Amino acid sequence: MSDPLPKTNRPTREEAEDAIRTILRWAGEDPEREGLHDTPARVARAYEEFFQGYEIDPKTLLERTFSEVEGYDEIVLLRDIRFESHCEHHLAPIIGRAHVAYLPRQRVVGISKLARVVDAYARRMQIQERLTAQIANTINDVLQPHGTAVIIESSHECMTTRGVHRPGVSMVTSQMLGVFRTSSDTRRELMAMLNRPAASEY
Ligand SMILES: [Zn+2]
């Protein structure tokens, strides 16, 4: 995917609010009635939040690493990272959980940074396959671990609230790089870690 458009090439906030007013009229509403008067501004602010990821360079989130790990060289897994994204086909929410693992090569990264990489890509217009690959590729490129694994489970509101109307359906994608791709033992170990009870259940 290409890099985000520079801010100077984007429409203004006023233009975005006008576009929302157009959608309100197109749907059959009167954008001037009291209840809708501030809606264009609110929607623009909400979209700013939904699509905040375009303002973040995910690679920079992983720049600070730690090497004092007493030789720790096993899988690091952060699981059940809840995220909110939007599908690029309908701008409908995708709500899900990501599990992110890597097998460090000497250096580790603060675990909250892994969650922030998930958010940086989730808060864009996405398809789940690309979201999964982008998270995995970024971790793999920056940390250069022995391997990286990303598994995402999510529910797509464009499938639950419109179109085929199938609530309860979840989509699962995974991207395995390095040893997670080449070694079935490492992959099995990851799956065993994923199947343990969550820490909150201890
Ligand atoms: Zn969709």
Side-chain angles (χ1 to χ4, degrees), residues 87-92 156 158-159 162:
C87 81
E88 69 182 16
H89 299 142
H90 307 94
L91 302 188
H156 291 237
C158 61
M159 259 193 86
R162 58 160 293 288

